[in-house]
Amino acid sequence: MNSLGMIEVYGFTTALCVADLMVKAANVRLIAFDRNRPFSPNIPAPLIMAVKVEGSASDVKAAVSAGKAYAEDKGRYIVSHIIARPDDDAEKMAYLCDINRDKYNKNMPKTMKNVSSDGISFSGALGILEVEGYVCSVVGFDTMLKAADVRLVHKEERLGGRLVTLVITGEVSAVKAALEAGNAAASGLGKVYGREIIARPHGELLKFFDLEAIEK
């Protein structure tokens, strides 16, 4: 590994957006997402996510800078760092990935070390709704499906189900309509920690999801 770039942010929603911006900003590979528990109750989201990329020193620097700017603008930035030529053991740790593996992304490998995004393309959008609790998530999900032509491609459950992130896909207009409706419904039952659209997500981000589900 040439250089390793890491950035920690609050919330899975922010992490996905940061990751997409980083790989679009420079020639880097997205190698893992990792997570940690928050250390204070007074935070914008009850989850800490780390985004890790690798590439040349200059590319990693540009990518981390782009991700940091976005997270700071959202008030979700914690810390970032770049390691030039990490030690072999540190490199192994860098590839550790903590994302739910369920029926929505059951084909995701345990490590992204040798996984390429070559040939991955998708013209639609990803929509992310991060909410408080199961009831809130189910109501938000049902509302999104009824509001527009979208599909669920990932469900991230954390804190014993107290934090649920739904990742949907479809055309940009459909995803936008679905998120607006889902947010309105979910916010009446619990806190909404994140709601974002990623238009034309980069292949490096898409490789973490089930492309067969996305392309159906």
Side-chain angles (χ1 to χ4, degrees):
M1 181 183 291
N2 193 335
S3 291
L4 168 67
M6 301 171 287
I7 179 168
E8 278 190 330
V9 298
Y10 289 111
F12 193 52
T13 303
T14 309
L16 293 179
C17 292
V18 163
D20 189 63
L21 284 170
M22 291 173 77
V23 295
K24 286 176 178 176
N27 184 28
V28 295
R29 292 181 61 245
L30 181 60
I31 62 172
F33 292 92
D34 213 341
R35 58 99 186 179
N36 200 355
R37 290 182 178 272
F39 43 82
S40 169
N42 301 315
I43 53 175
L47 176 68
I48 293 175
M49 292 296 298
V51 182
K52 296 177 271 189
V53 299
E54 66 97 2
S56 69
S58 59
D59 282 324
V60 169
K61 181 178 180 180
V64 169
S65 178
K68 178 181 178 181
Y70 173 86
E72 285 182 328
D73 184 63
K74 295 292 183 179
R76 299 288 181 99
Y77 175 75
I78 301 173
V79 67
S80 60
H81 192 70
I82 297 171
I83 301 177
R85 297 183 179 179
D87 179 83
D88 288 346
D89 287 338
E91 180 177 338
K92 292 176 183 177
M93 181 177 289
Y95 280 98
L96 294 177
C97 188
D98 188 0
I99 292 183
N100 286 351
R101 290 178 175 85
D102 55 21
K103 69 177 183 178
Y104 298 105
N105 65 342
K106 61 185 177 182
N107 295 323
M108 190 178 82
K110 292 183 178 181
T111 176
M112 291 291 175
K113 185 168 185 177
N114 297 311
V115 177
S116 171
S117 63
D118 292 346
I120 297 177
S121 63
F122 177 61
S123 60
L126 295 181
I128 312 155
L129 185 67
E130 190 169 12
V131 301
E132 180 181 47
Y134 281 122
V135 173
C136 190
S137 68
V138 172
V139 172
F141 177 47
D142 182 68
T143 303
M144 288 193 293
L145 291 180
K146 290 175 178 176
D149 183 16
V150 296
R151 298 179 304 282
L152 183 68
V153 293
H154 185 75
K155 177 169 57 70
E156 190 77 12
E157 297 177 9
R158 295 296 179 188
L159 309 178
R162 287 177 286 137
L163 180 67
V164 181
T165 306
L166 303 170
V167 182
I168 61 171
T169 185
E171 296 302 319
V172 175
S173 58
V175 170
K176 181 178 180 181
L179 280 181
E180 288 177 354
N183 176 70
S187 60
L189 296 167
K191 189 168 183 178
V192 175
Y193 290 105
R195 182 191 68 173
E196 293 288 347
I197 297 175
I198 300 177
R200 296 181 180 272
H202 195 284
E204 282 293 306
L205 180 61
L206 290 176
K207 72 185 183 183
F208 284 83
F209 300 103
D210 187 349
L211 266 293
E212 290 184 1
I214 291 177
E215 293 172 348
K216 285 180 180 177

